[in-house]
Amino acid sequence: MCDRQSGWNTVGVGVGDGRKPLRGRPDGFRHDASRIAPEARRGRGATANPDGRFEATQRETFDDGWPEEAERARRTEVTPERARHIITRNASPDISFDRSINPYRGCEHGCVYCFARPNHGYVGLSPGLDFETRLFSKPDAAALLERELSAPGYQPRTIALGTATDPYQPIERSHGITRAVLEVLARFRHPVGIVTKSNLILRDCGLLSDMAAQGLVKVAISVTTLDPDLARRMEPRAPHPRKRLEAVRTLSEAGVPVMVLTAPVIPSLNDHEIEAILEAARAAGAREAGYVLLRLPHELDELVGDWFSEHYPGRKEHVFSLLSGARGGKTYDAAFGTRMIGQGPYADLIRRRFALAKRRLGFPEEPVRQTTELFRVPPRAGDQLALF
């Protein structure tokens, strides 16, 4: 089979049973077919669209002599996903929650570094441009959540909202799934922690303020950089850094506890901004701060590497050298305890800088915790009233 692509023929190449990821070349992607012309990805983060690691074939190209055809810009497509459950459980010992909800699969923000990109492989799509243009919504999320919270024997613990993809990405404006989920959590008086990099969260400020007054919510705002040019390149459809700091301030003034996340810390790209980000966030009212060292699972090492080749080619080798030194000589180490912050001299330096800046700026040592004591299943229409 051949597909026309920009004057090149694209052929499928068998790669075995498709269950193991292919290792890429150190200078870029395994096949040029994965690269996308700039005009077809304007306003997007990924520079390529490699085949998913579970696919039985991979693409490569050859010049067929025909004139090149201009590729059209990708539009965002949203497909409803009918999930059977909405609460996802985990037993990871190095994260503070054991359950989470993601209203959407894929994310239009287009952050090139997003560790969730490889998850698109599970639905037969690419972790590259597909991840930010071919999205899935979960319209039944609120109804599923209400059913699961009402189940006999359910034991409440904080639900993390938006751990893989941003619950306040642009399509939330029209779909409103995150808002519906929050309304269910509020009625059940269930604790929640929200992670986002969008000031769209301010739409729900009133609801969050009411929940915060009951000790039910904490919000983490991701501020990766204060440099708008860098932000535009690596997270093109996420709000301006200034807007995120304004969200920190507005939420804090409304009584909502806010944490700032410097995530990810990318060697030789934004690591010099750690102190400045913490200072700006603390001035805006942030009560907590955290960070994550750049994580590159599966295809993400090639995606980020290709992005560096286009945007910062002179830094690419140095960035990956420092990252490798913090990951035991590998691009990525998934070991619990170190996967978030790394190890070795560079990782130790980042950890010490972060701790010193937090202490100097007066960030409290103890995190704000949500309560589970108010949880209750609200009565539904037609339910028999209790006598006592």
Side-chain angles (χ1 to χ4, degrees):
M1 293 182 61
C2 296
D3 295 325
R4 289 304 314 277
Q5 178 175 335
S6 300
W8 293 71
N9 268 345
T10 304
V11 297
V13 180
V15 293
D17 60 11
R19 289 176 293 180
K20 295 182 179 180
L22 294 176
R23 301 309 305 163
R25 303 189 310 266
D27 60 336
F29 279 98
R30 47 187 174 262
H31 299 311
D32 286 342
S34 64
R35 290 193 174 90
I36 303 296
E39 60 270 18
R41 54 179 165 86
R42 186 170 291 108
R44 305 293 183 175
T47 55
N49 206 43
D51 297 301
R53 65 190 182 282
F54 299 115
E55 300 305 298
T57 61
Q58 304 291 321
R59 295 169 297 158
E60 61 183 34
T61 60
F62 65 93
D63 186 359
D64 62 3
W66 289 94
E68 293 190 7
E69 299 174 359
E71 296 183 63
R72 294 182 178 180
R74 292 278 193 100
R75 291 189 174 185
T76 301
E77 303 174 11
V78 183
T79 302
E81 178 180 320
R82 301 299 175 182
R84 291 182 294 175
H85 304 280
I86 197 62
I87 300 178
T88 301
R89 309 278 179 156
N90 78 83
S92 302
D94 57 351
I95 55 179
S96 60
F97 56 88
D98 70 350
R99 62 200 70 180
S100 60
I101 294 174
N102 287 288
Y104 304 101
R105 186 193 297 270
C107 187
E108 197 176 7
H109 281 159
C111 305
V112 68
Y113 52 72
C114 182
F115 72 90
R117 281 183 177 272
N119 291 344
H120 245 44
Y122 293 114
V123 290
L125 295 174
S126 172
L129 199 59
D130 282 350
F131 178 79
E132 49 194 289
T133 59
R134 300 180 66 178
L135 313 180
F136 297 84
S137 66
K138 301 175 184 178
D140 300 329
L144 291 170
L145 178 60
E146 185 160 357
R147 186 186 70 189
E148 292 175 37
L149 296 184
S150 301
Y154 176 80
Q155 296 297 315
R157 292 187 64 181
T158 298
I159 287 177
L161 184 58
T163 54
T165 56
D166 201 311
Y168 286 102
Q169 61 177 287
I171 59 173
E172 167 62 16
R173 290 188 181 92
S174 56
H175 288 258
I177 300 173
T178 297
R179 173 70 188 205
V181 166
L182 285 175
E183 289 173 345
V184 172
L185 293 171
R187 283 195 292 109
F188 279 75
R189 299 177 188 171
H190 194 291
V192 61
I194 304 171
V195 181
T196 183
K197 53 169 54 74
S198 176
N199 63 329
L200 179 58
I201 193 174
L202 296 181
R203 179 200 64 188
D204 299 332
C205 187
L207 177 60
L208 295 174
S209 180
D210 292 342
M211 294 180 73
Q214 302 174 73
L216 296 176
V217 67
K218 178 165 67 175
V219 172
I221 302 288
S222 175
V223 182
T224 318
T225 178
L226 299 178
D227 180 349
D229 180 64
L230 176 57
R232 179 181 55 78
R233 291 170 184 248
M234 69 177 177
E235 40 194 33
R237 297 201 176 193
H240 192 286
R242 183 184 66 255
K243 293 290 186 181
R244 300 182 219 179
L245 291 171
E246 290 173 359
V248 172
R249 184 179 303 280
T250 301
L251 290 170
S252 297
E253 291 175 350
V256 180
V258 181
M259 176 183 192
V260 64
L261 281 176
T262 308
V265 172
I266 305 176
S268 191
L269 189 67
N270 72 340
D271 53 358
H272 66 284
E273 294 190 72
I274 288 175
E275 290 81 3
I277 292 172
L278 292 183
E279 288 175 6
R282 184 62 172 157
R287 297 170 59 175
E288 295 181 39
Y291 76 95
V292 177
L293 185 64
L294 178 64
R295 300 169 59 192
L296 298 177
H298 303 300
E299 302 98 327
L300 202 55
D301 59 345
E302 292 183 335
L303 278 165
V304 171
D306 198 65
W307 180 87
F308 265 100
S309 293
E310 177 169 311
H311 293 283
Y312 300 97
R315 300 190 193 185
K316 177 179 175 180
E317 184 176 347
H318 184 53
V319 169
F320 277 80
S321 175
L322 289 173
L323 193 61
S324 176
R327 299 293 188 191
K330 299 178 290 184
T331 302
Y332 181 57
D333 180 7
F336 292 138
T338 59
R339 60 179 180 154
M340 302 292 185
I341 58 175
Q343 57 187 333
Y346 177 78
D348 290 342
L349 176 62
I350 297 299
R351 184 167 53 250
R352 287 197 299 269
R353 284 177 55 195
F354 206 86
L356 287 172
K358 285 179 60 177
R359 191 176 307 123
R360 174 174 58 84
L361 295 168
F363 280 94
E365 292 293 332
E366 290 297 319
V368 176
R369 302 191 185 280
Q370 291 70 61
T371 182
T372 60
E373 296 179 358
L374 301 179
F375 175 79
R376 53 94 170 107
V377 178
R380 293 174 295 183
D383 284 353
Q384 182 175 349
L385 298 177
L387 295 177
F388 304 99

